[in-house]
Amino acid sequence: MSIELRGSYSTSRNNSLERNSFRSESFSEDRDQEVIPDVGCLSIVVLGASGDLAKKKTFPALFNLFRQGFLQPNEVHIFGYARTKLSDDELRERIRGFLSQGKGASTEHTDDLLKFLQLVKYVSGSYDSEDGFLLLNKEISAHESSRRSQPGTSRRLFYLALPPSVYPLVCKMIRGYCMNQSHLSGWTRIVVEKPFGKDLFSAEELSVQLGELFDEQQIYRIDHYLGKELVQNLLVLRFANRFFVPLWNRDNIANVQIVFREDFGTEGRGGYFDQYGIIRDIIQNHLLQVLCLITMEKPVSLKPEHIRDEKVKVLQSVLPIKYEEIVLGQYEGYRDDPTVSDNSNTPTFATVVLRIHNERWEGVPFILKAGKALNSRKAEIRVQFKDVPGDIFKCEETWTANVNHTE
Ligand SMILES: NC(=O)c1ccc[n+]([C@@H]2O[C@H](COP(=O)([O-])OP(=O)(O)OC[C@H]3O[C@@H](n4cnc5c(N)ncnc54)[C@H](OP(=O)(O)O)[C@@H]3O)[C@@H](O)[C@H]2O)c1
């Protein structure tokens, strides 16, 4: 028997987050201490607002939060910042197509869209210029005064939709010119996306650089993939379900496959991808996080620190990967992308088998598979259970065929 959990690409409006979860609880300095209510206005700054991530993911995510009531129009302002010269209206036009539902949009959706776009402003400046960040600070401060936010209570969130090479410089500028003077309940937060560095050395270096500028509680290293419903449901499936609790181990599970496929290639964005490859782009972050959620022990609570501790433990039990348990490939036509070098050997497909050396998982292969330009688009976790003893249905063992299946 196998169970398959499939990824959904839709965003549910009926999500179970409490309305204030974007506020005090998730951003409280010390989650064990009394939560101080957020009272000041909120400025969200998307740095790299002219780019791909901003228009495809960040602004649509902010719009969804707005529609669900997490961002209140009377307290929030959203600033885009990048070098490209754009007016407020030009930025709004750029992102509008990614927020609208086209001709079939309801009046309610269209009204929400107009209201949301009015909250968006644009500031142009370079990532290393004092002038740009002084101007940004001036605009944020003007918004805070217009909302009569009590000094020290306002909140500033900086989302870095930028290439990682720019993070240290931009963070220095934010630290120097744009920090909230938060002596009451106000705060400043920095959100960075994956990839966090390129290897262990660069990740540690980046950590040190950010750590010199901000407290750990101010830094959010995020992986947007973990917000998908499929991934969010994993903890509930495992730890709130008596049916699965006794089965989730090496005695019952033959193998687990974690698969991410895209049916499109780099589409002109090979410049970024070619420096990283599919392992750094998908496997090291998204799929390893999913692996942790599937395999870790039950955390003491749902606090981020407790979940992190369990993830670390299971990662420490992963054995070195065997060379013969890796398959790498590159799709035909990848090098035709003008942003990719003609002799690139960057993998666009990879399968690796991970083995976890602990009491629960010894002997169970975890097959992580990711690829671009494949025959379908799918995010899937397949948990293959062992055959029942004394099978009367004469089932064939299919999983080995699946494991060896070439895309
Ligand atoms: N795109 C995605 O779907 C996606 C998914 C997950 C994670 N990410 C990560 O999110 C970050 C942003 O991705 P993206 O796809 O939006 O990148 P992008 O479009 O290449 O870059 C975003 C913006 O950054 C500025 N920029 C680009 N290259 C720069 C450079 N060398 N120096 C200074 N500024 C530069 C450009 O704005 P200006 O020229 O106007 O300043 C550009 O519009 C990256 O770390 C990426 O790995 C992206």
Side-chain angles (χ1 to χ4, degrees):
M1 177 183 93
S2 74
I3 57 164
E4 288 177 12
L5 309 168
R6 294 255 164 93
S8 141
Y9 292 95
S10 67
T11 312
S12 159
R13 286 201 70 181
N14 297 325
N15 89 30
S16 58
L17 290 171
E18 285 178 23
R19 288 206 157 213
N20 67 354
S21 68
F22 194 67
R23 298 159 62 93
S24 347
E25 284 179 26
S26 36
F27 293 129
S28 65
E29 292 292 327
D30 184 339
R31 295 172 176 91
D32 282 335
Q33 285 177 9
E34 188 193 351
V35 173
I36 303 163
D38 293 325
V39 288
C41 66
L42 171 64
S43 302
I44 298 175
V45 184
V46 180
L47 296 127
S50 56
D52 189 72
L53 179 74
K55 71 180 178 203
K56 285 194 195 148
K57 304 269 191 213
T58 318
F59 283 109
L62 291 173
F63 182 47
N64 279 327
L65 289 170
F66 174 76
R67 292 207 75 204
Q68 291 166 26
F70 291 105
L71 302 180
Q72 296 298 331
N74 58 351
E75 60 184 34
V76 171
H77 226 94
I78 299 168
F79 298 89
Y81 183 93
R83 297 172 302 187
T84 307
K85 299 263 178 274
L86 293 173
S87 65
D88 293 347
D89 281 341
E90 281 167 333
L91 176 66
R92 290 170 190 153
E93 277 317 303
R94 269 188 184 217
I95 60 175
R96 181 191 291 269
F98 293 88
L99 311 178
S100 88
Q101 290 180 329
K103 284 187 185 148
S106 64
T107 326
E108 191 200 359
H109 186 279
T110 311
D111 286 352
D112 284 350
L113 178 55
L114 290 176
K115 283 184 207 148
F116 175 78
L117 289 175
Q118 284 316 304
L119 300 178
V120 178
K121 274 188 80 112
Y122 184 74
V123 178
S124 170
S126 72
Y127 302 112
D128 57 358
S129 89
E130 263 183 41
D131 292 350
F133 283 86
L134 282 170
L135 179 60
L136 179 61
N137 187 49
K138 199 170 147 200
E139 293 287 339
I140 300 173
S141 303
H143 158 62
E144 288 168 353
S145 326
S146 75
R147 293 286 181 266
R148 299 212 171 87
S149 194
Q150 201 189 337
T153 62
S154 49
R155 296 161 287 152
R156 296 183 175 191
L157 187 155
F158 295 87
Y159 183 97
L160 274 54
L162 287 165
S165 54
V166 198
Y167 291 173
L169 191 55
V170 166
C171 287
K172 231 180 198 165
M173 288 294 168
I174 295 169
R175 177 81 228 173
Y177 302 101
C178 296
M179 295 294 282
N180 175 37
Q181 307 308 318
S182 58
H183 49 280
L184 292 175
S185 60
W187 44 248
T188 303
R189 297 284 183 259
I190 306 295
V191 184
V192 294
E193 261 280 358
K194 65 95 188 175
F196 194 82
K198 204 174 171 188
D199 49 26
L200 181 62
F201 175 76
S202 56
E204 285 178 347
E205 192 181 30
L206 187 53
S207 243
V208 170
Q209 286 165 334
L210 297 189
E212 282 168 359
L213 298 168
F214 303 104
D215 295 338
E216 183 57 32
Q217 291 91 337
Q218 293 179 303
I219 306 169
Y220 284 70
R221 303 167 185 83
I222 65 155
D223 180 344
H224 62 266
Y225 202 71
L226 300 183
K228 288 190 184 293
E229 277 179 54
L230 165 81
V231 180
Q232 298 257 313
N233 286 341
L234 280 172
L235 289 185
V236 180
L237 177 96
R238 284 201 56 202
F239 299 120
N241 195 325
R242 288 197 77 118
F243 183 66
F244 283 117
V245 169
L247 301 180
W248 214 253
N249 55 48
R250 63 193 297 271
D251 298 333
N252 301 290
I253 293 177
N255 70 85
V256 177
Q257 296 188 46
I258 305 170
V259 179
F260 175 95
R261 309 154 184 247
E262 283 176 341
D263 55 1
F264 51 88
T266 49
E267 298 185 332
R269 300 199 61 251
Y272 153 74
F273 183 86
D274 201 52
Q275 290 173 39
Y276 286 85
I278 197 79
I279 295 178
R280 289 191 182 94
D281 197 43
I282 304 291
I283 293 186
Q284 180 276 330
N285 34 60
H286 301 330
L287 301 198
L288 266 192
Q289 287 289 341
V290 172
L291 174 93
C292 289
L293 294 173
I294 294 173
T295 56
M296 70 186 194
E297 296 301 316
K298 189 193 231 171
V300 174
S301 78
L302 290 176
K303 283 185 185 165
E305 293 75 13
H306 290 154
I307 295 179
R308 179 208 53 206
D309 289 348
E310 292 306 331
K311 286 178 173 175
V312 169
K313 266 195 240 164
V314 81
L315 286 174
Q316 285 172 334
S317 306
V318 175
L319 297 172
I321 300 169
K322 291 186 194 147
Y323 191 68
E324 60 274 22
E325 293 192 326
I326 304 172
V327 177
L328 299 178
Q330 188 184 81
Y331 68 85
E332 220 178 306
Y334 171 68
R335 294 180 211 170
D336 297 342
D337 183 327
T339 58
V340 170
S341 93
D342 291 343
N343 50 11
S344 165
N345 66 353
T346 301
T348 64
F349 174 88
T351 295
V352 293
V353 181
L354 298 187
R355 294 176 187 276
I356 299 172
H357 179 56
N358 69 15
E359 203 173 353
R360 187 186 284 273
W361 295 118
E362 187 80 51
V364 180
F366 289 85
I367 300 134
L368 275 49
K369 200 185 281 188
K372 284 187 157 317
L374 298 174
N375 53 3
S376 62
R377 183 175 185 187
K378 195 188 273 182
E380 181 180 77
I381 301 162
R382 183 182 298 181
V383 181
Q384 179 78 43
F385 283 82
K386 289 184 175 171
D387 291 339
V388 288
D391 173 34
I392 54 169
F393 299 102
K394 302 199 169 31
C395 295
E396 277 180 32
E397 222 184 71
T398 51
W399 76 267
T400 34
N402 279 333
V403 174
N404 296 324
H405 174 66
T406 43
E407 304 289 332

